[in-house]
Amino acid sequence: MIAFGLGVLSAQKTAVFGVVTEQASKSPIPFVKVSFYGTKISTITDSLGRYKLETYYPVDSLQIYSLGYKVVRIKLKQEVQQELNVALRPTSREVKEIVVLPPDEFPSTKLHKKIIAHKPVNNKEKLQAYQYEAYNKFQVDINNIGSEFSSLGPVKRLNVVLDYLDTSTNQTLVLPAVLAESVSEFYFANRPKRKREVVKASRITGVENLQAAQFLGDMYIDINIYENVIDLFGKSFISPLANYARSMYRFYLDDSTYIGNKFCYKLRFEPKNASNLTFYGEMWVHDTTYAIQSIKANISEGANLNYIQDLYVEQEFEQVEEEVWMLKKEILLLDIRLTEKTKIYGFLGKKTSSRKHFIINELKPDDFYNTSTAVEFLENSKTQDLDAWDSLRHEKLNKTENGISEMIDTLNKTKYFKSLRTLTYFASTGYYPMGKIELGNATSLISRNPVEDTRLSLAIRTSNAFSKRLELGGKIGYGIGDDRFKYSSLIRFNITPKKRGMLSTYFTYDLEQIGQSPTAAQLGNTFATVLNTAPFDKLTFVKKIGFNLEKDIRKDLIILGGFDWKDYTPLGISTYLSPNLSVGGFDTLRNLTTAEIITRIRWTKDEEFLSGQFDRTSVGSAFPILSLQCVIGVKGIAGSMYNYQKLEFQLEHYTQLGALGRLRYGTSMGCVFGSTAFPFLKVHEGNQSYWLLLTAYNKMNFLEFISDKYASAFVENHWEGLFFNKIPGINKLNLRFVSTARVLYGALSSRHADNVIIPDYVKSFGQVPYVECSAGLENVFKVLRVDFVWRATHNVPGTSPFGVRGRISFNF
């Protein structure tokens, strides 16, 4: 056996040595079989009776056997080196009764227990470091097109399209649309875990579409079959190698044979409940190390999933060193369609990858891993010629893959596919592309509120065809009731494209609702105003101008610095009253003005983003999101009226709970120093619509609670199909249960009332926190979430503490 030194973290070496002798004569016995009990790891004593045996695999006893002597089994101390000298006694010639009993457990159960026991050693995560060369090929096909597709007029005129129609694994027609390839060097280091990937060659052929990529992004994750839970598409799939897998799966020992020079067992698995997020398939297990030699798996046929009709995983492992198994080849197939029997086009994603040139436990200096980006592209990586690609690829492209570029170029010149691409973009963004500009936003063309009555709005922005670094945008709105135009503008410029540095300048002359969640549908949005539960009667007219710079310092560390100048004018029932001590009354202020310097730092360990030219979407991290924001109000800048400072800390975390679903929780706390008017304090986010908000208190009114010291927490658990999957008849609806609890407590100092009187509609917490709970159903008709909300404290007389809120939610 080979010792790896620091190479093994989760399992240390168990080593034993000694001499085997005959008890009576004390003479050494040669050719005695010495083995770790329950394994095939063994050795033979030499001519002097000496032996030495060691392993990283979990063992608890040593067995010594020689013909003519009694078998000896000795308990071992695990993960240490020890000396055991053994004296054997001759066997008795007396023949005892032999009793044959049935096995106490199935052979498949015994095998699975051994696989689980050996997981810490066989999992590559044990290693101190490893590296390899990876080749990834990712193809997206348009599937479910049917045989009549080739008869469509636009398609019949495109012979090149007909040439590239192919058949999928289930013999249905598919049309290749995207082919992406990359060759890279991948590096991993442990304690702490660090990853780095250096791309030597990369290319993409076909339709580049960020919206489609968001759905297919999980195809690139590392599926580690040894983990208890495999995260896919925001769901927690229970691995057949989970420690508790036998409670979720049935296992069958089907076969055994040699694969190469290694003897392996075939273990088949299927879920006990097909509605659970599990797999069915088979794996081949090495009989000595109990490592997985290969595995083929599909998601369970009745899994509570939307749009994903099938996911197939095939992995092949290689023993690159003794007691080190690495993933060598992998195939992932993903079938996305609206429903199983739909006639609407869908997507078929296929990822094939291979890995070679493994180097184990050669740790590099810390500076090597501490890079600003997780994936680094070499300077010529995107300009490699065809000859270079031929030498870099681990496998050659077939005829269809080679011709995708020609086909896509032809498609992009046709009116039919141009229109299809335009409508797809409009449906996903709300903006209609018109060359170098885009018009929208479809969700806010018309809305209503008490001040404007009916509001008409139109937005315009430049597209990527205008510039991939500079975006110019603006919006204009007109209120019929107040006969007044409103407008805003936004300019964004990416000053450092390689390491994102987004400089934004903006101007606003419009109505706002103070206390509305920043992630809510805005005031001019149709949903926010048509579905309201109470009138928007405390509006504010806001003039705002400012700028900020958001800069990536590292791949997971983002800082923001900026400046805001704001002028607030009350509308509706809102008024700003300032105490006049000289006359003992109040002065009515027409407006309030402030100037703020803003700094924010956001850190999420190992967070990665799926980025467009200007916007990006986080693809998540296993660690919490931490942010700290400081706002400094400065008096005397263009009429600003107050000096104050605001400090706020936030934590939010998404994590998987295996069979118990997905958990989202968070906390925030903050404090305001100095003295200012109440609109510039912490106005806790409320909701006055039937539209469910995920970051607000859904039974709290706007401006109902204001604080200068506060703390809050929330927890939301998506139980998936844990409950409804077990109810006959109901389980066919694929309903999912979700529960939420929110708590908030704060205080408001009287010193702020010296500037502007706190309105009567603002409540005090007193000694009681605000508590809100909800229970809901997700995946209603595959697109709706409906929550039943209970306001547990600070109830309003004459108003029900219960409410119903809903939202459209597209989830896998």
Side-chain angles (χ1 to χ4, degrees):
M1 299 292 175
I2 298 175
F4 294 140
L6 293 176
V8 178
L9 296 179
S10 57
Q12 300 299 317
K13 182 169 62 177
T14 299
V16 59
F17 64 94
V19 178
V20 179
T21 59
E22 187 177 46
Q23 188 179 54
S25 65
K26 308 298 182 184
S27 301
I29 308 176
F31 310 118
V32 176
K33 183 178 180 181
V34 182
S35 62
F36 289 121
Y37 179 69
T39 77
K40 294 194 175 184
I41 304 172
S42 62
T43 189
I44 301 294
T45 58
D46 62 14
S47 59
L48 299 178
R50 297 175 302 186
Y51 73 93
K52 182 178 181 181
L53 206 58
E54 57 187 32
T55 185
Y56 287 102
Y57 291 101
V59 292
D60 59 8
S61 56
L62 189 72
Q63 181 169 287
I64 301 94
Y65 168 78
S66 182
L67 186 64
Y69 295 91
K70 290 185 177 181
V71 177
V72 175
R73 193 179 300 161
I74 304 173
K75 197 75 173 176
L76 292 175
K77 296 178 181 178
Q78 294 189 16
E79 301 181 358
V80 297
Q81 181 170 290
Q82 54 214 286
E83 180 179 1
L84 290 177
N85 297 316
V86 183
L88 299 182
R89 290 185 298 170
T91 56
S92 170
R93 295 182 179 274
E94 180 182 352
V95 178
K96 296 182 178 180
E97 179 185 8
I98 299 174
V99 179
V100 179
L101 297 173
D104 54 350
E105 56 187 0
F106 292 112
S108 58
T109 302
K110 289 184 177 181
L111 177 59
H112 191 266
K113 285 183 176 181
K114 290 183 180 294
I115 296 171
I116 300 303
H118 288 71
K119 272 174 56 175
V121 179
N122 290 323
N123 192 344
K124 68 180 185 298
E125 300 298 312
K126 72 176 182 179
L127 299 170
Q128 178 68 13
Y130 59 80
Q131 68 185 73
Y132 53 79
E133 181 183 274
Y135 170 67
N136 287 286
K137 180 173 62 178
F138 178 53
Q139 182 175 328
V140 178
D141 300 335
I142 301 173
N143 69 354
N144 202 41
I145 58 179
S147 58
E148 67 277 4
F149 177 80
S150 57
S151 302
L152 294 175
V155 177
K156 289 172 65 177
R157 294 190 291 269
L158 298 173
N159 292 329
V160 67
V161 173
L162 298 178
D163 291 340
Y164 289 103
L165 286 177
D166 203 351
T167 54
S168 64
T169 53
N170 59 3
Q171 301 303 308
T172 59
L173 280 177
V174 297
L175 179 65
V178 177
L179 177 68
E181 295 180 279
S182 69
V183 180
S184 60
E185 293 287 343
F186 184 86
Y187 304 88
F188 172 87
N190 229 328
R191 194 183 286 178
K193 289 185 178 180
R194 290 154 292 167
K195 298 178 182 179
R196 182 182 179 186
E197 187 172 10
V198 180
V199 179
K200 299 188 290 187
S202 174
R203 73 179 192 126
I204 182 168
T205 302
V207 181
E208 297 186 52
N209 188 303
L210 177 61
Q211 286 70 39
Q214 288 174 341
F215 289 99
L216 298 171
D218 270 342
M219 289 286 287
Y220 288 99
I221 69 171
D222 179 18
I223 297 179
N224 187 348
I225 198 67
Y226 285 103
E227 298 293 338
N228 291 331
V229 176
I230 298 174
D231 295 337
L232 291 168
F233 318 109
K235 307 294 182 185
S236 297
F237 287 79
I238 307 303
S239 168
L241 298 188
N243 296 342
Y244 47 86
R246 290 188 300 279
S247 65
M248 307 288 289
Y249 290 90
R250 294 185 181 91
F251 292 92
Y252 306 91
L253 183 58
D254 282 352
D255 198 0
S256 61
T257 189
Y258 276 95
I259 299 178
N261 61 350
K262 292 180 171 59
F263 192 77
C264 297
Y265 300 107
K266 180 183 178 182
L267 189 64
R268 179 167 52 89
F269 52 91
E270 61 182 40
K272 291 182 176 179
N273 185 338
S275 298
N276 291 332
L277 297 177
T278 48
F279 301 88
Y280 70 90
E282 63 183 45
M283 66 181 89
W284 286 90
V285 185
H286 184 217
D287 77 326
T288 302
T289 63
Y290 297 100
I292 305 304
Q293 196 275 341
S294 66
I295 185 169
K296 299 177 181 179
N298 293 76
I299 56 174
S300 54
E301 294 179 350
N304 192 334
L305 285 172
N306 294 326
Y307 318 124
I308 299 174
Q309 304 308 319
D310 194 15
L311 172 68
Y312 172 77
V313 181
E314 182 176 327
Q315 294 184 333
E316 180 183 335
F317 295 82
E318 179 184 6
Q319 189 173 17
V320 298
E321 291 186 9
E322 289 194 58
E323 300 175 344
V324 178
W325 289 78
M326 298 294 291
L327 178 61
K328 180 182 179 182
K329 292 183 179 180
E330 182 178 45
I331 298 175
L332 298 178
L333 293 174
L334 176 64
D335 183 3
I336 297 179
R337 282 174 285 150
L338 192 60
T339 63
E340 184 177 3
K341 297 181 180 180
T342 183
K343 294 185 178 180
I344 300 175
Y345 299 159
F347 294 98
L348 180 66
K350 179 180 181 181
K351 177 198 172 189
T352 58
S353 64
S354 60
R355 304 171 181 184
K356 62 183 182 180
H357 305 322
F358 294 96
I359 299 177
I360 306 299
N361 292 326
E362 292 189 10
L363 191 64
K364 296 183 179 296
D366 289 342
D367 291 345
F368 178 83
Y369 302 100
N370 296 330
T371 58
S372 59
T373 58
V375 181
E376 174 188 348
F377 289 83
L378 296 183
E379 188 173 349
N380 64 338
S381 61
K382 297 182 180 180
T383 58
Q384 297 280 11
D385 58 25
L386 295 179
D387 290 337
W389 271 106
D390 288 340
S391 63
L392 288 168
R393 287 190 188 98
H394 294 187
E395 59 183 36
K396 294 182 179 181
L397 297 181
N398 59 36
K399 177 183 175 182
T400 301
E401 293 167 339
N402 271 315
I404 288 180
S405 178
E406 176 191 358
M407 184 197 68
I408 292 300
D409 289 342
T410 304
L411 285 178
N412 286 335
K413 295 175 183 177
T414 67
K415 184 177 180 180
Y416 175 78
F417 278 92
K418 283 182 179 179
S419 300
L420 183 63
R421 187 173 57 184
T422 297
L423 291 175
T424 301
Y425 184 82
F426 177 67
S428 59
T429 66
Y431 280 84
Y432 189 86
M434 301 176 64
K436 294 185 178 182
I437 64 170
E438 299 174 356
L439 295 179
N441 186 329
T443 61
S444 58
L445 295 175
I446 184 168
S447 57
R448 293 180 62 85
N449 63 71
V451 173
E452 297 177 295
D453 191 13
T454 300
R455 174 189 174 108
L456 306 176
S457 181
L458 181 67
I460 185 172
R461 68 186 185 189
T462 56
S463 67
N464 290 347
F466 171 79
S467 173
K468 293 185 178 181
R469 293 184 62 184
L470 175 66
E471 180 189 63
L472 309 176
K475 182 175 66 175
I476 185 168
Y478 174 72
I480 295 177
D482 64 353
D483 191 25
R484 191 174 184 181
F485 282 97
K486 294 88 182 177
Y487 41 86
S488 64
S489 65
L490 172 64
I491 301 173
R492 295 193 290 179
F493 181 64
N494 193 352
I495 60 176
T496 53
K498 288 187 177 180
K499 190 188 293 185
R500 191 174 191 267
M502 191 63 68
L503 177 64
S504 302
T505 63
Y506 45 87
F507 173 77
T508 300
Y509 182 82
D510 205 346
L511 291 175
E512 286 188 13
Q513 174 61 66
I514 306 301
Q516 188 175 38
S517 170
T519 60
Q522 295 303 307
L523 182 64
N525 188 285
T526 304
F527 286 115
T529 55
V530 173
L531 301 177
N532 61 299
T533 58
F536 285 63
D537 54 3
K538 296 183 283 288
L539 297 175
T540 302
F541 201 95
V542 176
K543 302 174 187 176
K544 179 166 63 176
I545 187 170
F547 65 89
N548 61 58
L549 175 63
E550 184 183 74
K551 186 75 177 75
D552 290 1
I553 303 302
R554 295 200 323 245
K555 60 185 179 183
D556 52 8
L557 180 64
I558 304 169
I559 63 170
L560 180 142
F563 173 82
D564 263 0
W565 180 90
K566 296 181 285 192
D567 181 88
Y568 286 2
T569 301
L571 300 173
I573 66 172
S574 295
T575 56
Y576 299 151
L577 300 177
S578 177
N580 189 328
L581 300 180
S582 60
V583 299
F586 301 98
D587 294 332
T588 300
L589 302 180
R590 188 184 67 84
N591 62 331
L592 299 173
T593 305
T594 186
E596 296 179 339
I597 300 171
I598 304 167
T599 58
R600 181 168 65 243
I601 183 169
R602 182 185 188 276
W603 179 61
T604 309
K605 180 177 169 57
D606 297 338
E607 183 177 30
E608 302 290 348
F609 290 92
L610 185 67
S611 299
Q613 300 301 327
F614 299 96
D615 299 302
R616 60 184 179 179
T617 300
S618 173
V619 294
S621 167
F623 300 93
I625 302 169
L626 305 176
S627 68
L628 182 65
Q629 176 171 281
C630 178
V631 178
I632 301 175
V634 182
K635 184 177 180 180
I637 299 178
S640 58
M641 304 164 66
Y642 309 105
N643 285 316
Y644 58 92
Q645 303 82 39
K646 297 194 290 186
L647 192 65
E648 182 178 62
F649 168 79
Q650 290 185 337
L651 177 150
E652 188 169 348
H653 190 204
Y654 298 80
T655 188
Q656 305 288 356
L657 300 179
L660 298 180
R662 297 176 290 122
L663 179 68
R664 183 173 74 97
Y665 66 91
T667 184
S668 67
M669 57 191 69
C671 187
V672 180
F673 305 93
S675 176
T676 186
F678 72 86
F680 306 134
L681 298 171
K682 177 61 176 179
V683 181
H684 299 292
E685 293 87 354
N687 182 19
Q688 292 182 190
S689 78
Y690 289 106
W691 186 262
L692 177 69
L693 299 180
L694 304 181
T695 59
Y697 300 90
N698 284 283
K699 284 289 290 179
M700 181 189 293
N701 289 326
F702 297 135
L703 292 161
E704 187 173 359
F705 289 96
I706 298 176
S707 305
D708 61 4
K709 293 187 290 290
Y710 56 92
S712 67
F714 74 90
V715 59
E716 179 180 80
N717 198 63
H718 299 257
W719 300 88
E720 303 297 349
L722 181 65
F723 303 114
F724 295 112
N725 284 353
K726 296 177 173 60
I727 304 175
I730 299 296
N731 57 1
K732 296 181 180 179
L733 299 177
N734 283 343
L735 297 177
R736 304 165 187 171
F737 182 64
V738 58
S739 58
T740 308
R742 293 181 178 275
V743 60
L744 166 68
Y745 186 73
L748 181 60
S749 171
S750 59
R751 70 180 185 272
H752 303 292
D754 295 337
N755 300 304
V756 176
I757 298 297
I758 307 300
D760 294 337
Y761 50 73
V762 176
K763 296 180 179 179
S764 170
F765 287 97
Q767 301 299 315
V768 180
Y770 179 91
V771 179
E772 190 175 279
C773 304
S774 67
L777 295 177
E778 290 185 298
N779 208 39
V780 179
F781 305 119
K782 296 187 181 294
V783 296
L784 293 179
R785 170 177 169 179
V786 180
D787 277 27
F788 302 89
V789 186
W790 173 42
R791 177 167 167 160
T793 61
H794 293 283
N795 290 313
V796 180
T799 302
S800 173
F802 300 99
V804 178
R805 302 290 184 268
R807 67 185 287 114
I808 296 174
S809 180
F810 294 95
N811 294 309
F812 286 118

